[in-house]
Short mmCIF file of all heavy atoms in Angstrom, two decimals:
data_model
loop_
_atom_site.label_atom_id
_atom_site.label_comp_id
_atom_site.label_asym_id
_atom_site.label_seq_id
_atom_site.Cartn_x
_atom_site.Cartn_y
_atom_site.Cartn_z
N ARG A 35 -4.34 2.71 1.87
CA ARG A 35 -4.97 2.23 0.63
C ARG A 35 -5.43 0.78 0.76
O ARG A 35 -4.96 0.02 1.61
CB ARG A 35 -4.01 2.34 -0.55
CG ARG A 35 -2.72 1.49 -0.44
CD ARG A 35 -2.76 0.22 -1.26
NE ARG A 35 -1.63 -0.66 -1.00
CZ ARG A 35 -1.63 -1.60 -0.09
NH1 ARG A 35 -2.68 -1.81 0.69
NH2 ARG A 35 -0.56 -2.38 0.08
N ASN A 37 -6.10 -2.53 -2.10
CA ASN A 37 -5.87 -2.90 -3.49
C ASN A 37 -6.84 -4.01 -3.81
O ASN A 37 -6.85 -5.05 -3.13
CB ASN A 37 -4.43 -3.37 -3.68
CG ASN A 37 -4.13 -3.69 -5.14
OD1 ASN A 37 -4.74 -3.11 -6.04
ND2 ASN A 37 -3.20 -4.61 -5.37
N GLY A 40 -4.53 -7.38 -8.35
CA GLY A 40 -3.27 -6.99 -8.98
C GLY A 40 -2.20 -6.86 -7.91
O GLY A 40 -1.82 -5.76 -7.54
N GLU A 41 -1.73 -8.00 -7.41
CA GLU A 41 -0.77 -7.95 -6.30
C GLU A 41 0.61 -8.38 -6.79
O GLU A 41 0.74 -9.34 -7.56
CB GLU A 41 -1.27 -8.87 -5.19
CG GLU A 41 -1.04 -8.37 -3.79
CD GLU A 41 -1.76 -7.06 -3.44
OE1 GLU A 41 -1.20 -5.98 -3.68
OE2 GLU A 41 -2.89 -7.14 -2.93
N HIS A 42 1.62 -7.66 -6.33
CA HIS A 42 3.03 -7.88 -6.71
C HIS A 42 3.25 -7.65 -8.21
O HIS A 42 4.26 -8.09 -8.77
CB HIS A 42 3.52 -9.28 -6.29
CG HIS A 42 3.75 -9.38 -4.82
ND1 HIS A 42 4.94 -9.08 -4.21
CD2 HIS A 42 2.89 -9.71 -3.81
CE1 HIS A 42 4.83 -9.24 -2.90
NE2 HIS A 42 3.59 -9.62 -2.63
N THR A 43 2.32 -6.99 -8.83
CA THR A 43 2.45 -6.68 -10.25
C THR A 43 3.11 -5.33 -10.48
O THR A 43 3.65 -5.08 -11.55
CB THR A 43 1.06 -6.68 -10.92
OG1 THR A 43 0.14 -6.05 -10.02
CG2 THR A 43 0.59 -8.07 -11.21
N ASP A 44 3.08 -4.45 -9.46
CA ASP A 44 3.56 -3.08 -9.72
C ASP A 44 5.04 -3.04 -10.09
O ASP A 44 5.43 -2.40 -11.07
CB ASP A 44 3.20 -2.10 -8.58
CG ASP A 44 3.78 -2.43 -7.22
OD1 ASP A 44 4.35 -3.52 -7.05
OD2 ASP A 44 3.65 -1.57 -6.31
N TYR A 45 5.87 -3.76 -9.32
CA TYR A 45 7.31 -3.71 -9.63
C TYR A 45 7.65 -4.60 -10.84
O TYR A 45 8.80 -4.66 -11.24
CB TYR A 45 8.15 -4.07 -8.40
CG TYR A 45 7.83 -5.41 -7.78
CD1 TYR A 45 8.36 -6.59 -8.25
CD2 TYR A 45 6.97 -5.47 -6.69
CE1 TYR A 45 8.06 -7.81 -7.66
CE2 TYR A 45 6.66 -6.67 -6.08
CZ TYR A 45 7.21 -7.84 -6.58
OH TYR A 45 6.90 -9.04 -5.98
N ASN A 46 6.66 -5.27 -11.37
CA ASN A 46 6.85 -6.04 -12.60
C ASN A 46 6.24 -5.32 -13.81
O ASN A 46 5.92 -5.94 -14.82
CB ASN A 46 6.24 -7.43 -12.45
CG ASN A 46 7.11 -8.33 -11.60
OD1 ASN A 46 8.29 -8.51 -11.90
ND2 ASN A 46 6.56 -8.88 -10.52
N VAL A 50 -2.31 -2.50 -11.46
CA VAL A 50 -2.86 -2.62 -10.11
C VAL A 50 -4.20 -1.90 -10.05
O VAL A 50 -4.50 -1.08 -10.92
CB VAL A 50 -1.90 -2.05 -9.03
CG1 VAL A 50 -0.67 -2.92 -8.86
CG2 VAL A 50 -1.48 -0.61 -9.37
N GLY A 130 -1.07 -3.83 6.57
CA GLY A 130 -1.05 -3.91 5.10
C GLY A 130 -1.89 -2.84 4.43
O GLY A 130 -2.26 -2.98 3.28
N MET A 131 -2.18 -1.76 5.16
CA MET A 131 -2.94 -0.65 4.54
C MET A 131 -2.02 0.51 4.19
O MET A 131 -2.47 1.62 3.95
CB MET A 131 -4.05 -0.19 5.48
CG MET A 131 -5.10 -1.25 5.73
SD MET A 131 -6.30 -0.63 6.93
CE MET A 131 -6.65 -2.13 7.83
N SER A 132 -0.72 0.26 4.23
CA SER A 132 0.28 1.22 3.77
C SER A 132 0.36 2.50 4.58
O SER A 132 0.37 3.61 4.04
CB SER A 132 0.05 1.57 2.30
OG SER A 132 0.25 0.44 1.54
N SER A 134 2.99 3.38 6.02
CA SER A 134 4.30 3.99 5.73
C SER A 134 4.24 4.84 4.47
O SER A 134 4.77 5.96 4.45
CB SER A 134 5.39 2.92 5.63
OG SER A 134 4.98 1.87 4.83
N ALA A 135 3.58 4.36 3.44
CA ALA A 135 3.46 5.17 2.21
C ALA A 135 2.68 6.45 2.52
O ALA A 135 3.00 7.53 2.03
CB ALA A 135 2.76 4.37 1.11
N GLN A 163 8.28 7.09 -3.17
CA GLN A 163 8.68 5.69 -3.43
C GLN A 163 10.20 5.55 -3.29
O GLN A 163 10.70 4.59 -2.69
CB GLN A 163 8.24 5.28 -4.83
CG GLN A 163 8.56 3.81 -5.12
CD GLN A 163 8.56 3.49 -6.61
OE1 GLN A 163 8.43 4.38 -7.45
NE2 GLN A 163 8.72 2.22 -6.93
N GLU A 166 11.36 5.24 0.21
CA GLU A 166 11.18 3.89 0.77
C GLU A 166 12.26 2.95 0.23
O GLU A 166 12.85 2.16 0.96
CB GLU A 166 9.77 3.38 0.41
CG GLU A 166 9.49 1.97 0.83
CD GLU A 166 8.60 1.87 2.05
OE1 GLU A 166 7.92 2.85 2.38
OE2 GLU A 166 8.61 0.79 2.68
N ASN A 167 12.53 3.05 -1.08
CA ASN A 167 13.52 2.16 -1.71
C ASN A 167 14.93 2.44 -1.17
O ASN A 167 15.67 1.52 -0.84
CB ASN A 167 13.57 2.37 -3.23
CG ASN A 167 12.31 1.92 -3.96
OD1 ASN A 167 12.12 2.24 -5.11
ND2 ASN A 167 11.43 1.18 -3.30
N VAL A 172 13.21 -0.88 1.55
CA VAL A 172 12.28 -1.86 0.98
C VAL A 172 12.10 -1.52 -0.50
O VAL A 172 11.79 -0.37 -0.84
CB VAL A 172 10.91 -1.83 1.70
CG1 VAL A 172 9.95 -2.81 1.06
CG2 VAL A 172 11.08 -2.15 3.17
N GLN A 173 12.30 -2.52 -1.34
CA GLN A 173 12.26 -2.27 -2.79
C GLN A 173 10.83 -2.28 -3.33
O GLN A 173 10.51 -2.97 -4.29
CB GLN A 173 13.10 -3.34 -3.53
CG GLN A 173 14.56 -3.34 -3.12
CD GLN A 173 15.18 -1.95 -3.22
OE1 GLN A 173 15.03 -1.27 -4.21
NE2 GLN A 173 15.86 -1.53 -2.16
N CYS A 174 9.94 -1.54 -2.66
CA CYS A 174 8.52 -1.56 -3.03
C CYS A 174 8.31 -0.97 -4.42
O CYS A 174 9.15 -0.22 -4.93
CB CYS A 174 7.71 -0.77 -2.01
SG CYS A 174 8.06 0.99 -2.06
N GLY A 175 7.17 -1.30 -5.01
CA GLY A 175 6.77 -0.68 -6.27
C GLY A 175 6.10 0.67 -5.98
O GLY A 175 6.23 1.23 -4.88
N ILE A 176 5.35 1.14 -6.96
CA ILE A 176 4.82 2.50 -6.86
C ILE A 176 3.37 2.56 -6.36
O ILE A 176 2.84 3.61 -6.07
CB ILE A 176 4.93 3.19 -8.24
CG1 ILE A 176 4.88 4.72 -8.08
CG2 ILE A 176 3.88 2.65 -9.23
CD1 ILE A 176 5.27 5.47 -9.33
N MET A 177 2.74 1.36 -6.24
CA MET A 177 1.29 1.34 -6.00
C MET A 177 0.84 2.13 -4.76
O MET A 177 -0.10 2.92 -4.84
CB MET A 177 0.81 -0.10 -5.86
CG MET A 177 -0.61 -0.19 -5.35
SD MET A 177 -1.28 -1.82 -5.40
CE MET A 177 -0.42 -2.61 -4.06
N ASP A 178 1.49 1.89 -3.63
CA ASP A 178 0.96 2.43 -2.37
C ASP A 178 1.01 3.96 -2.37
O ASP A 178 0.04 4.63 -1.99
CB ASP A 178 1.76 1.90 -1.18
CG ASP A 178 1.77 0.39 -1.13
OD1 ASP A 178 0.94 -0.22 -1.83
OD2 ASP A 178 2.60 -0.18 -0.40
N GLN A 179 2.15 4.50 -2.79
CA GLN A 179 2.30 5.95 -2.81
C GLN A 179 1.36 6.56 -3.85
O GLN A 179 0.78 7.63 -3.63
CB GLN A 179 3.76 6.32 -3.12
CG GLN A 179 4.74 6.00 -2.00
CD GLN A 179 5.19 4.54 -1.98
OE1 GLN A 179 4.80 3.75 -2.85
NE2 GLN A 179 6.00 4.18 -1.00
N TYR A 228 10.07 -10.04 0.30
CA TYR A 228 9.58 -9.14 -0.77
C TYR A 228 10.72 -8.89 -1.76
O TYR A 228 10.56 -9.02 -2.97
CB TYR A 228 9.12 -7.82 -0.14
CG TYR A 228 8.48 -6.86 -1.11
CD1 TYR A 228 7.11 -6.85 -1.29
CD2 TYR A 228 9.25 -5.97 -1.85
CE1 TYR A 228 6.52 -5.96 -2.17
CE2 TYR A 228 8.67 -5.08 -2.74
CZ TYR A 228 7.30 -5.08 -2.89
OH TYR A 228 6.72 -4.21 -3.79
N ARG A 232 11.16 -10.04 -5.80
CA ARG A 232 11.53 -9.09 -6.85
C ARG A 232 12.70 -9.63 -7.67
O ARG A 232 12.68 -9.59 -8.90
CB ARG A 232 11.94 -7.77 -6.18
CG ARG A 232 11.31 -6.60 -6.86
CD ARG A 232 11.80 -5.30 -6.33
NE ARG A 232 11.92 -4.43 -7.49
CZ ARG A 232 11.43 -3.21 -7.59
NH1 ARG A 232 10.80 -2.69 -6.59
NH2 ARG A 232 11.58 -2.52 -8.68
N LEU A 311 -1.33 -16.29 -4.96
CA LEU A 311 -0.39 -15.67 -4.02
C LEU A 311 0.08 -16.67 -2.97
O LEU A 311 1.22 -16.65 -2.52
CB LEU A 311 -1.06 -14.47 -3.32
CG LEU A 311 -1.25 -13.22 -4.18
CD1 LEU A 311 -2.20 -12.24 -3.51
CD2 LEU A 311 0.09 -12.53 -4.47
N TYR A 315 3.12 -17.83 -5.69
CA TYR A 315 4.01 -16.74 -5.31
C TYR A 315 4.52 -16.92 -3.88
O TYR A 315 5.54 -16.35 -3.48
CB TYR A 315 3.30 -15.40 -5.49
CG TYR A 315 4.23 -14.31 -5.97
CD1 TYR A 315 4.86 -14.40 -7.21
CD2 TYR A 315 4.51 -13.20 -5.19
CE1 TYR A 315 5.74 -13.41 -7.65
CE2 TYR A 315 5.38 -12.21 -5.63
CZ TYR A 315 5.99 -12.32 -6.86
OH TYR A 315 6.85 -11.34 -7.30
N ARG A 339 -9.28 -12.21 -0.45
CA ARG A 339 -7.88 -12.59 -0.71
C ARG A 339 -6.97 -11.84 0.25
O ARG A 339 -7.39 -10.87 0.88
CB ARG A 339 -7.49 -12.23 -2.14
CG ARG A 339 -7.57 -10.75 -2.44
CD ARG A 339 -7.16 -10.46 -3.88
NE ARG A 339 -6.87 -9.06 -4.05
CZ ARG A 339 -5.73 -8.46 -3.73
NH1 ARG A 339 -4.73 -9.16 -3.20
NH2 ARG A 339 -5.56 -7.19 -3.92
N MET A 340 -5.74 -12.32 0.37
CA MET A 340 -4.77 -11.53 1.13
C MET A 340 -4.47 -10.27 0.34
O MET A 340 -4.59 -10.25 -0.88
CB MET A 340 -3.48 -12.32 1.39
CG MET A 340 -2.79 -12.84 0.16
SD MET A 340 -0.97 -12.96 0.34
CE MET A 340 -0.47 -11.25 0.07
N MET A 341 -4.08 -9.21 1.05
CA MET A 341 -3.86 -7.94 0.37
C MET A 341 -2.46 -7.41 0.70
O MET A 341 -1.99 -7.55 1.83
CB MET A 341 -4.90 -6.93 0.84
CG MET A 341 -4.83 -5.60 0.11
SD MET A 341 -6.13 -4.47 0.65
CE MET A 341 -5.48 -3.91 2.22
N GLY A 342 -1.80 -6.84 -0.30
CA GLY A 342 -0.50 -6.20 -0.06
C GLY A 342 0.66 -7.17 -0.20
O GLY A 342 0.56 -8.20 -0.87
N GLY A 343 1.76 -6.84 0.45
CA GLY A 343 3.00 -7.59 0.30
C GLY A 343 2.91 -9.02 0.80
O GLY A 343 3.54 -9.92 0.25
N GLY A 344 2.15 -9.26 1.86
CA GLY A 344 1.95 -10.61 2.35
C GLY A 344 2.65 -10.91 3.66
O GLY A 344 3.12 -10.00 4.34
C1 GLA B 401 3.57 -3.70 -0.91
C2 GLA B 401 4.40 -2.76 -1.78
C3 GLA B 401 3.68 -2.43 -3.09
C4 GLA B 401 3.22 -3.70 -3.80
C5 GLA B 401 2.51 -4.63 -2.82
C6 GLA B 401 2.20 -5.96 -3.44
O1 GLA B 401 2.41 -3.06 -0.49
O2 GLA B 401 4.68 -1.57 -1.09
O3 GLA B 401 4.51 -1.66 -3.92
O4 GLA B 401 4.29 -4.35 -4.43
O5 GLA B 401 3.25 -4.86 -1.64
O6 GLA B 401 1.30 -5.82 -4.48
#
Side-chain angles (χ1 to χ4, degrees):
R35 62 102 188 90
N37 183 29
E41 218 63 272
H42 287 271
T43 40
D44 61 351
Y45 56 83
N46 284 304
V50 290
M131 295 176 217
S132 295
S134 47
Q163 184 199 5
E166 176 104 18
N167 292 167
V172 178
Q173 300 308 312
C174 68
I176 200 168
M177 169 172 74
D178 303 345
Q179 290 82 3
Y228 185 93
R232 225 186 141 130
L311 287 166
Y315 216 63
R339 62 179 196 82
M340 56 150 280
M341 185 177 77

